[in-house]
Each structure stands twice: as structure tokens, then as C-alpha cells.
Amino acid sequence: MDFGRLITAMVTPFDANLQIDWDQTAKLIDYLIEEQASDSLVVCGTTGESPTLTEEEKLELFKFAVKHAGGRCKIIAGTGSNDTAHSIHLSREAEKLGVDALLLVVPYYNRPSQEGMYQHYKAIAEAVNIPCILYNVPGRTGVNLNADTTIRLSQIPNIAATKDCADLDQLTRVVRDAAPGFLVYSGEDNMTLPALSVGAHGVISVASHVIGKDMKNMINCYLQGNVREATQIHAKLHPIFKGLFECPHRVPNPAPVKFALNGRGVEVGGVRLPLINVTEEEGRFITSLFE
């Protein structure tokens, strides 16, 4: 399955009581598809505040997103955790609800070995019949799913892709040696163009909530051989890529991008504790990125 070049890791809209706002969720899905050119959406990933969503909320979001997208884009369910048995359970339930694929984060906190991670992913993949996407984010999980393990996992038929936040050396090795048809996505917005240059297929993005159309244009320019224009777009977008993650006090995702969306009239509300909303100073900085 081709999930497209630009995948948005979607925020979860909340109302004033920090409950899921279903009307705004529908509007956000439309906005990301129609205005920001997303080819696929990740629902209940880290950007969707998965750590503070209940299992019931996650399943409701998967069902709602599949129905509302109506085939206009692929829906990828974030069902990974550091508990293999629970990941299998949630993945099976998501499959029943009609999602197109699963995004499976590297087990966090318990810091498994490479063999432990291989067996974790193998067990989940063998429990479902839909494509699985690995998600390697060492800065959050505390462990790196290395190139050798990723390449080994790519041989499992329904492990179709990886979202990798590792360096270009690791991405290059995976692109070079993974099974034919295995797709590599950058997990870092600012690395989208460099990752494409070493053979990555695209990006699973946060910034695409607000600059998705520009990012799609950059990707298309590169793929069409117009490298100069692609690099010019990258240079223009780079302050936004960096600013959304390095604004004063390094506010954790998704508070900055939720602020940016709210400022554009896309009402997605605040964040649940232990995350907190941006301060006035941080808000002014985020607003300045788009001036």
C-alpha cells in the first residue's frame, strides 16, 4: 500500500472541558485533506495525545475518522505501546473498524533489546492482516530501532514502512537494504528534503497541519527534478519546521501546533495534562513564524 508522500500526524481536537470535540474533528479532517493536501492521516499518534486518550476514545476516533474521511485519504491508527499484548489487542480492534494501516511506536520506557523489539513487532504484524508502519523516535522512547533490525523487520510481509527520526546515515542504510517496496518516511519535518535526497518516500509530519500545501509543493518539485525550487521552499519553511519544536522553553508537541491552528480559526482546543498550553510569550513567537 502506498500511503502517499505527505502524511499528517493529526492532533485530537478538544472542547473547553478537554473532551473530544467531534464537530471540530470532522472539520479538521476536511481541512487537512482539502486545504493542506494530506495523503494520509495518523489518528491517535503522539501528536494526537495518545498517552492521555482512553482506549474507548481511541476506538471512537478510529471509527469516526474512517467514516468521515470516506476514502478521501488513508487512515492510519496509532496502536503501538510498550505492552505487546495490549498493542495486539488494540491493533485487532482498529483493524475491525476499517483503518488502512497501523502506526506502531517503538516500546518506550522499558528499553527492550533489538531482539526484543523485533519480536514485539513480529508478534503484532502476525496478529493482523493490514499494513504496519514502524515508528522509531529515540528522543521519546529512549532506545533506537537500529538499521539492522528495521531491515530485518522489512522482510515480514505486512510490515510496509517506517517512520524514522534517526539520522541520515541510518535512513540511507534502511533505504538501501530494506525489502523491495518497503517505504521510509522521515519523522522530522525539517529533514523532509534531506531524507528525500537519500531515497525516503516522504514525511509523517506535524507542521503539515499549517504548511502542508507548501510541503507537498516542495516534495513534488524535488520529485519532478526541480531541485533548486525545492531547496528554496525548504529554506523558506525551515524556520517554521524548527520554530514549532524549538519555541521558547521547547514546548512539547502538540501544544505549539494546536496554538497555530487555533490562530487560523481551526478550533482544536488545548492540551490535556501533563502537557500545558503555550504561554503568551510562546504564543507571540509562534505567531511571528507566519508573519
Side-chain angles (χ1 to χ4, degrees), residues 63-138:
K63 182 179 181 179
F64 184 90
V66 168
K67 182 178 180 180
H68 191 75
R72 291 176 293 162
C73 74
K74 301 288 194 303
I75 299 297
I76 302 167
T79 57
S81 73
N82 61 349
D83 176 351
T84 306
H86 185 258
S87 298
I88 289 172
H89 164 72
L90 190 58
S91 296
R92 284 173 167 165
E93 293 302 309
E95 182 178 18
K96 292 175 187 176
L97 293 172
V99 302
D100 296 291
L102 308 172
L103 183 71
L104 304 168
V105 68
V106 166
Y108 41 85
Y109 191 73
N110 40 15
R111 297 172 66 90
S113 66
Q114 294 298 314
E115 182 62 23
M117 286 185 279
Y118 176 82
Q119 295 297 335
H120 169 82
Y121 280 120
K122 180 173 182 287
I124 300 170
E126 290 178 347
V128 297
N129 296 305
I130 55 176
C132 299
I133 303 173
L134 313 174
Y135 178 19
N136 183 41
V137 55

Side-chain angles (χ1 to χ4, degrees), residues 14-85:
F14 293 136
D15 62 22
N17 296 315
L18 296 180
Q19 299 303 303
I20 297 172
D21 188 324
W22 296 105
D23 288 341
Q24 293 302 323
T25 300
K27 291 177 182 178
L28 178 62
I29 291 171
D30 292 339
Y31 165 82
L32 292 175
I33 296 170
E34 297 167 5
E35 295 190 37
Q36 296 299 347
S38 296
D39 297 311
S40 297
L41 300 176
V42 173
V43 179
C44 301
T46 308
T47 304
E49 298 179 68
S50 58
T52 58
L53 293 172
T54 67
E55 180 174 320
E56 181 182 14
E57 287 175 324
K58 290 177 182 180
L59 294 175
E60 288 176 351
L61 278 163
F62 298 154
K63 182 179 181 179
F64 184 90
V66 168
K67 182 178 180 180
H68 191 75
R72 291 176 293 162
C73 74
K74 301 288 194 303
I75 299 297
I76 302 167
T79 57
S81 73
N82 61 349
D83 176 351
T84 306

Side-chain angles (χ1 to χ4, degrees), residues 52-258:
T52 58
L53 293 172
T54 67
E55 180 174 320
E56 181 182 14
E57 287 175 324
K58 290 177 182 180
L59 294 175
E60 288 176 351
L61 278 163
F62 298 154
K63 182 179 181 179
F64 184 90
V66 168
K67 182 178 180 180
H68 191 75
R72 291 176 293 162
C73 74
K74 301 288 194 303
I75 299 297
I76 302 167
T79 57
S81 73
N82 61 349
D83 176 351
T84 306
H86 185 258
S87 298
I88 289 172
H89 164 72
L90 190 58
S91 296
R92 284 173 167 165
E93 293 302 309
E95 182 178 18
K96 292 175 187 176
L97 293 172
V99 302
D100 296 291
L102 308 172
L103 183 71
L104 304 168
V105 68
V106 166
Y108 41 85
Y109 191 73
N110 40 15
R111 297 172 66 90
S113 66
Q114 294 298 314
E115 182 62 23
M117 286 185 279
Y118 176 82
Q119 295 297 335
H120 169 82
Y121 280 120
K122 180 173 182 287
I124 300 170
E126 290 178 347
V128 297
N129 296 305
I130 55 176
C132 299
I133 303 173
L134 313 174
Y135 178 19
N136 183 41
V137 55
R140 284 186 179 267
T141 63
V143 66
N144 178 45
L145 181 72
N146 68 27
D148 289 337
T149 306
T150 303
I151 292 162
R152 187 180 170 202
L153 285 166
S154 75
Q155 306 296 325
I156 296 173
N158 64 324
I159 295 184
T162 185
K163 173 186 178 182
D164 205 322
C165 298
D167 59 30
L168 282 179
D169 288 342
Q170 179 159 318
L171 294 186
T172 301
R173 281 207 57 215
V174 174
V175 168
R176 184 187 69 195
D177 296 332
F182 184 77
L183 303 179
V184 175
Y185 288 91
S186 172
E188 302 280 2
D189 287 310
N190 66 307
M191 293 298 291
T192 304
L193 186 59
L196 290 172
S197 76
V198 299
H201 191 71
V203 62
I204 299 181
S205 171
V206 175
S208 55
H209 281 91
V210 286
I211 51 172
K213 191 173 292 186
D214 291 328
M215 293 179 70
K216 178 65 79 67
N217 187 27
M218 177 183 72
I219 293 168
N220 288 338
C221 285
Y222 179 82
L223 296 174
Q224 293 162 6
N226 193 345
V227 177
R228 181 182 295 274
E229 185 172 351
T231 58
Q232 290 172 343
I233 297 171
H234 170 78
K236 178 182 176 182
L237 299 181
H238 193 262
I240 299 173
F241 292 152
K242 300 292 284 185
L244 286 175
F245 289 90
E246 296 182 3
C247 64
H249 315 128
R250 298 186 68 88
V251 181
N253 175 49
V257 75
K258 277 195 157 183

